[in-house]
Amino acid sequence: MHINITLLLFVSFIVSLILFRARWIVYWLNETSAKFEKDYKIMDNDNSTTTGWAQPNFIISPNILQADRKYKFELTLHYVGEPHAISQTADVKETCSAPSNGTCVINPREGDILQKRSISCIDWENNYPQTSYEFSYKLEKGTGIQSSTTKSEDSKIISSGHSSHTGHVSLPIGKPDKGYELDIIVRIYNKYGAFTTFNLTSVVRPVDKQR
């Protein structure tokens, strides 16, 4: 099971770039001291933002912020060419956790293309309900549409919504060079869009013509 917690944070302040320069600092809460301390910041990671910190608008990269943690976003403005701040503001945000500790199964796992299958998910714990599910299968590169903007591989949605099972569905033939295995992807979401990915495989063979 691969847990992929994906969080994209976009913060925007309208300022004049001709007169001012902006600088962001993001701290996380030190739970021991219950304070946002200067040593607890995410700026040390060069990949922590796709835009840089000296911008009025910035985007934090996926998987930089941790689940269930408070962060302080501090913005400082100063005149161009002047090191001293003329204005400073801050806001505190809290991240959420994705659903966890559950499992998903496909039944039957093996069979020919005429045999319908059902996929079910059980025991998923979600601190931020309502839980939703997206069931899909992988396609060859360039042969399909990505089922969501955060997926890097082509896939086709089988079903999606608040139901934890698909009902009986037909699946395409799996890859012959891999014993007709078909990769199944299940995403389990909380209400904010944080998700866990659960991977399955199903053997979907052609119909045996000798039967």
Side-chain angles (χ1 to χ4, degrees):
M1 182 176 68
H2 174 65
I3 294 180
N4 186 2
I5 301 175
T6 301
L7 179 62
L8 182 65
L9 180 62
F10 182 83
V11 185
S12 178
F13 278 78
I14 301 175
V15 296
S16 171
L17 297 180
I18 298 175
L19 299 177
F20 304 106
R21 285 293 180 265
R23 175 67 181 176
W24 287 94
I25 302 178
V26 181
Y27 309 94
W28 71 83
L29 181 68
N30 181 348
E31 295 182 356
T32 302
S33 65
K35 296 180 180 179
F36 294 99
E37 299 177 359
K38 298 297 183 182
D39 293 335
Y40 288 75
K41 57 181 183 285
I42 67 172
M43 338 301 292
D44 298 333
N45 186 341
D46 293 336
N47 299 318
S48 59
T49 172
T50 59
T51 54
W53 297 107
Q55 303 286 341
N57 315 294
F58 74 97
I59 299 174
I60 294 180
S61 302
N63 302 318
I64 295 298
L65 302 183
Q66 298 183 23
D68 291 324
R69 175 167 282 182
K70 289 183 179 180
Y71 290 88
K72 179 181 179 182
F73 296 83
E74 186 177 281
L75 172 65
T76 300
L77 296 179
H78 59 86
Y79 287 116
V80 174
E82 294 290 337
H84 303 295
I86 59 171
S87 181
Q88 190 175 69
T89 187
D91 195 11
V92 175
K93 299 293 183 182
E94 185 173 359
T95 56
C96 64
S97 58
S100 61
N101 298 328
T103 189
C104 299
V105 295
I106 184 168
N107 185 46
R109 185 181 176 275
E110 298 188 25
D112 62 38
I113 192 174
L114 298 179
Q115 197 166 9
K116 292 190 174 182
R117 294 158 171 79
S118 63
I119 307 171
S120 301
C121 295
I122 57 173
D123 297 332
W124 287 95
E125 299 174 5
N126 182 9
N127 294 328
Y128 303 90
Q130 186 173 22
T131 307
S132 59
Y133 303 82
E134 180 188 273
F135 302 89
S136 62
Y137 58 84
K138 287 184 182 180
L139 298 170
E140 295 291 340
K141 289 184 178 180
T143 61
I145 300 174
Q146 296 176 7
S147 58
S148 77
T149 56
T150 56
K151 283 189 177 176
S152 58
E153 298 177 307
D154 287 349
S155 58
K156 183 175 181 179
I157 293 179
I158 302 168
S159 68
S160 62
H162 297 302
S163 176
S164 61
H165 58 88
T166 61
H168 290 87
V169 295
S170 298
L171 295 175
I173 294 173
K175 294 181 179 179
D177 59 341
K178 291 188 176 182
Y180 295 104
E181 277 197 349
L182 181 71
D183 293 317
I184 309 294
I185 308 162
V186 184
R187 283 185 166 185
I188 304 93
Y189 291 86
N190 70 14
K191 68 176 181 179
Y192 296 115
F195 63 88
T196 297
T197 301
F198 197 99
N199 296 309
L200 295 166
T201 59
S202 179
V203 177
V204 188
R205 294 185 292 266
V207 176
D208 186 354
K209 296 182 180 180
Q210 296 180 351
R211 289 171 55 183

